[in-house]
Amino acid sequence: MSGRRTPEPASPGRCWKTKLIRQAWNDSGKVYGCHNLHGDLLDQGETCCPRRVARLPRLAGIKG
């Protein structure tokens, strides 16, 4: 075994959070990192773990 997990299937919540993250990233001029993106989601009333906010942009190809 390689020790790597296979990607989880896309859930509606994951897709929704990725859209919100992409929107916040675009609004920032494509410079925000995961800490600022997490803060933006919290400001919008979304609950999420900082580790998830770090993982989702990476899976979506978003680089700050």
Side-chain angles (χ1 to χ4, degrees):
M1 296 182 94
S2 65
R4 298 193 81 170
R5 293 177 53 182
T6 57
E8 60 201 45
S11 67
R14 179 174 144 193
C15 293
W16 174 248
K17 295 252 194 274
T18 302
K19 286 179 185 177
L20 291 175
I21 289 169
R22 187 176 298 279
Q23 180 182 357
W25 181 67
N26 283 326
D27 291 347
S28 77
K30 300 182 179 181
V31 296
Y32 267 10
C34 62
H35 297 289
N36 289 330
L37 291 172
H38 182 250
D40 278 358
L41 289 180
L42 293 178
D43 289 344
Q44 294 176 25
E46 295 290 327
T47 58
C48 54
C49 173
R51 292 179 68 189
R52 185 175 196 187
V53 175
R55 185 183 77 239
L56 290 178
R58 186 174 62 244
L59 293 174
I62 298 171
K63 297 185 182 206

